[in-house]
Amino acid sequence: MTKRIFRSILAVAVAILTACLVIVMGVLYNYFTSLYEMQMQTQTSLIAQAIENEGAAYFDGLDAGPYRITWIDRDGAVLYDTQSDASAMENHADREEFIEALENGVGQSSRYSSTLTEKMLYYAERLSDGSVIRVAGEQNSIFTLVLGMLQPIIMVMTIAVVLSALLASRLSKRIVKPLNELDLDKPLENDSYEELSPLLNRIEHQHRQIASQIDELKHKQEEWDAITGSMSEGIVLISADGAVISINNSAMKLLDTNPDCIGSTFLAICRCLDIQRLLDKSARGEKAELVVELGCREYQVNASPVMSGGETKGTALLFFDVTDKARAEQMRREFTANVSHELKTPLHIISGSAEIIKNGLVEQEDMPRFIDRIYTESQRMITLVDDIIRLSKLDEGVEYMPREVVSLKALAEDAASRLAPRAEARQVTFAVEGGKGEISGIAPLLTELVYNLCDNAIKYNRNGGAATVNIEDTPAEVVLTVSDTGIGIPAESQDRVFERFYRVDKSHSKEIGGTGLGLSIVKHVARIHGAKLELKSKLNEGTTVTVRFPK
């Protein structure tokens, strides 16, 4: 802007200077022309008076100087000329100044040379005898005058242009300085040109409007960040050119990145080709989803195109953790297969035994054995179904079940009493030791937990072995420990014994009536009470199960 003002001021100054020079030259030229004409008129009058007094003798030895004097007869014949032979000169009867002098007593005219650089002025006066005396003088034209003064004109123009440039530079800076010093953050507090008031008022109005919009955008951004930041699902917004616009905490943790990734291409933070194919589909305006494995978990990734005006402006990527769902589905399939397998064997035995009895193929003395076999398998099926029902209830939730203060020692003593006949049959010594072990919990579930652990300590013990239940109170927790001197668990099976239907020795478990669901029930009950399970076992030496209940 400063340059434009500078150029404008300089151009105006030069134009005015040029115009002034032209006007001055014209005025001076007219002034000198009129002065020269007056001199010629005076000279003509003096010469005419001299001729009237002296006649032709006046011309003897006359030095006319810069003037040319011509004496013309009344018929136009030249009588005398200071520069040429009068007899050789043409008739001047047609000359304008001659004709005007004959008619009016005086006459004048002017004529330019062929080059327009010289101008001849003619002044004529009629004498008393009718002849005419004419004086001619040479005057430079305006062009000659300009050429003669060209050097001083150039000097004056140069000095004037330099001064104009300096003044224009200072003036333009002074004009622009208040504009450069405007505080646009506080437009109404500026002491500037009055003509800028409408602009500053408009800027102030726009400031208020922009500030309001920024506050609204910040509020919406804070709401968005608060909503997406607390979501367990990952959300990534991607522009049409593949750059990350927004990413929440879950997505950053999942993709192992940080907020600095915003603005980078999504390919730079995730090189999964399957997800890139999803983005390609979304760029074509198609919704797509797939399940991919990221880290050690499975995620369902949904890609939804963001449309505006019929065009795809970006993509919204959502990551859902479906690991638990997939595992639950896998467990459901395994559970169904295991239940079918576990029920199939006793049903076949019952069906086969009943069919043999129905067809009369059993001797009377063998009938009790077949009936006992049917009864045993039926009881095994009932136990299995009861355990499945318990597990189903635990899976569905126990929020509705009331909690109360329960003594683990009392539960252990009750379990020992109920299992005493089985312990005596196996000659297993059973002991309950320690404090009361009072905790807040669901009594029926805790009873199930203690009973199953005690039952396993007897079932999988050796004849003549020992089983011990110990309850220890600490300031932070109550520790229930059930140990036995039984067959033990191999190291490779210790991580799986809490799975449903898992049995270390299936043939031995079937002999003693095990369903493979006891420790799974124990695991569920412990999880419901926030307890930690620990298992230590050595093959053929015994097993110790520890349950740590927080107070």
Side-chain angles (χ1 to χ4, degrees):
M1 185 175 180
T2 305
K3 292 182 179 179
R4 293 184 63 183
I5 295 176
F6 169 77
R7 289 195 295 266
S8 299
I9 295 175
L10 183 60
V12 170
V14 172
I16 293 174
L17 177 62
T18 304
C20 290
L21 283 174
V22 172
I23 294 172
V24 168
M25 292 295 293
V27 171
L28 288 176
Y29 182 75
N30 290 332
Y31 171 75
F32 286 120
T33 299
S34 62
L35 184 62
Y36 190 67
E37 289 177 351
M38 289 177 63
Q39 291 176 352
M40 286 189 65
Q41 184 179 0
T42 302
Q43 290 292 336
T44 303
S45 297
L46 292 174
I47 294 171
Q49 186 66 37
I51 294 175
E52 288 282 0
N53 294 330
E54 301 180 19
Y58 171 76
F59 296 108
D60 293 338
L62 177 67
D63 183 9
Y67 300 105
R68 181 180 182 180
I69 302 172
T70 306
W71 189 12
I72 307 169
D73 196 5
R74 65 177 63 189
D75 59 359
V78 177
L79 300 176
Y80 178 81
D81 189 87
T82 57
Q83 294 183 1
S84 300
D85 184 7
S87 60
M89 294 179 65
E90 60 183 4
N91 192 285
H92 282 38
D94 58 347
R95 301 300 170 92
E96 180 182 350
E97 67 276 6
F98 176 77
I99 296 171
E100 187 177 349
L102 290 178
E103 293 178 354
N104 302 321
V106 294
Q108 65 179 11
S109 68
S110 61
R111 289 186 287 276
Y112 284 95
S113 66
S114 59
T115 60
L116 296 180
T117 60
E118 294 181 353
K119 181 181 179 181
M120 295 300 296
L121 294 179
Y122 299 93
Y123 201 88
E125 186 174 337
R126 187 182 62 194
L127 302 178
S128 59
D129 61 357
S131 63
V132 175
I133 190 71
R134 186 187 74 174
V135 177
E138 180 181 340
Q139 182 189 16
N140 291 331
S141 67
I142 187 68
F143 301 104
T144 305
L145 181 63
V146 170
L147 289 173
M149 298 181 66
L150 185 61
Q151 184 175 358
I153 289 175
I154 291 175
M155 291 178 62
V156 170
M157 287 290 292
T158 302
I159 295 172
V161 169
V162 171
L163 291 176
S164 298
L166 293 175
L167 292 174
S169 176
R170 293 188 61 183
L171 185 58
S172 60
K173 290 178 180 179
R174 288 183 62 185
I175 293 173
V176 175
K177 183 179 179 182
L179 300 179
N180 292 333
E181 293 177 351
L182 287 176
D183 185 1
L184 297 181
D185 293 331
K186 300 175 182 178
L188 298 183
E189 297 181 7
N190 291 288
D191 183 14
S192 184
Y193 303 117
E194 184 178 353
E195 291 79 5
L196 293 177
S197 296
L199 174 63
L200 296 177
N201 288 329
R202 181 63 177 172
I203 292 175
E204 174 65 19
H205 174 70
Q206 289 183 343
H207 276 187
R208 291 195 298 268
Q209 187 175 3
I210 291 172
S212 175
Q213 291 175 348
I214 290 175
D215 290 341
E216 185 178 354
L217 289 174
K218 285 183 178 178
H219 179 66
K220 290 183 178 179
Q221 184 64 40
E222 289 172 357
E223 288 182 346
W224 169 260
D225 292 340
I227 293 172
T228 59
S230 60
M231 292 176 61
S232 59
E233 295 81 7
I235 299 177
V236 183
L237 299 182
I238 304 171
S239 64
D241 56 0
V244 177
I245 300 175
S246 176
I247 182 170
N248 70 344
N249 294 332
S250 297
M252 284 190 285
K253 185 182 296 183
L254 174 63
L255 300 175
D256 191 22
T257 185
N258 54 58
D260 294 337
C261 70
I262 294 177
S264 304
T265 60
F266 183 78
L267 184 61
I269 63 174
C270 179
R271 298 188 177 276
C272 179
L273 295 179
D274 292 333
I275 297 180
Q276 291 300 323
R277 281 191 279 270
L278 274 188
L279 293 178
D280 292 339
K281 287 185 179 180
S282 177
R284 296 192 295 269
E286 303 176 15
K287 290 185 177 181
E289 64 177 45
L290 57 79
V291 176
V292 297
E293 184 174 344
L294 298 174
C296 299
R297 302 184 70 82
E298 292 184 4
Y299 290 86
Q300 177 181 320
V301 185
N302 290 4
S304 301
V306 179
M307 309 296 293
S308 178
E311 296 182 357
T312 302
K313 300 296 183 180
T315 300
L317 274 184
L318 279 79
F319 295 82
F320 299 94
D321 190 344
V322 295
T323 306
D324 295 337
K325 180 180 177 181
R327 290 176 180 174
E329 181 65 21
Q330 180 65 24
M331 289 178 62
R332 185 190 64 79
R333 290 194 295 267
E334 293 178 356
F335 181 74
T336 302
N338 289 331
V339 168
S340 301
H341 178 74
E342 293 294 334
L343 291 176
K344 182 178 181 181
T345 301
L347 281 174
H348 280 178
I349 294 173
I350 293 172
S351 176
S353 299
E355 184 178 3
I356 292 174
I357 294 173
K358 176 183 176 182
N359 293 331
L361 300 177
V362 180
E363 298 294 337
Q364 192 65 32
E365 59 274 13
D366 295 329
M367 187 68 70
R369 183 166 59 85
F370 276 85
I371 294 174
D372 181 66
R373 191 173 184 184
I374 292 173
Y375 175 78
T376 301
E377 295 299 329
S378 300
Q379 291 301 311
R380 184 181 167 204
M381 287 181 61
I382 292 172
T383 303
L384 178 61
V385 171
D386 287 342
D387 287 345
I388 292 173
I389 292 173
R390 292 190 188 94
L391 276 175
S392 298
K393 289 181 178 180
L394 293 177
D395 288 336
E396 291 173 0
V398 293
E399 291 81 3
Y400 62 91
M401 300 182 72
R403 289 178 177 264
E404 57 186 290
V405 177
V406 180
S407 171
L408 294 180
K409 186 174 184 180
L411 296 181
E413 290 174 345
D414 179 68
S417 175
R418 291 161 58 189
L419 293 171
R422 186 175 299 177
E424 292 176 359
R426 300 286 304 279
Q427 297 179 353
V428 174
T429 304
F430 198 93
V432 178
E433 303 172 350
K436 291 184 177 180
E438 292 183 345
I439 63 171
S440 175
I442 302 172
L445 299 185
L446 292 173
T447 301
E448 191 80 17
L449 179 145
V450 175
Y451 182 85
N452 280 337
L453 291 178
C454 294
D455 186 31
N456 284 347
I458 296 174
K459 277 183 183 178
Y460 300 102
N461 213 321
R462 62 170 58 91
N463 292 334
T468 305
V469 178
N470 183 65
I471 297 96
E472 181 183 359
D473 275 302
T474 69
E477 59 187 4
V478 176
V479 182
L480 171 69
T481 304
V482 180
S483 57
D484 62 61
T485 58
I487 60 177
I489 303 171
E492 65 273 10
S493 299
Q494 291 181 14
D495 291 336
R496 301 192 60 191
V497 292
F498 292 100
E499 296 178 8
R500 300 178 183 186
F501 295 108
Y502 185 83
R503 290 192 291 258
V504 178
D505 186 348
K506 295 185 178 181
S507 60
H508 183 68
S509 296
K510 289 183 179 180
E511 290 177 0
I512 61 177
T515 62
L517 295 175
L519 288 180
S520 182
I521 294 173
V522 169
K523 178 182 176 181
H524 275 66
V525 175
R527 178 178 55 82
I528 291 170
H529 288 83
K532 295 181 180 179
L533 272 175
E534 297 175 1
L535 174 69
K536 294 181 180 179
S537 181
K538 287 187 178 181
L539 198 61
N540 298 319
E541 291 186 13
T543 301
T544 299
V545 179
T546 303
V547 187
R548 299 180 179 275
F549 294 92
K551 282 190 177 180

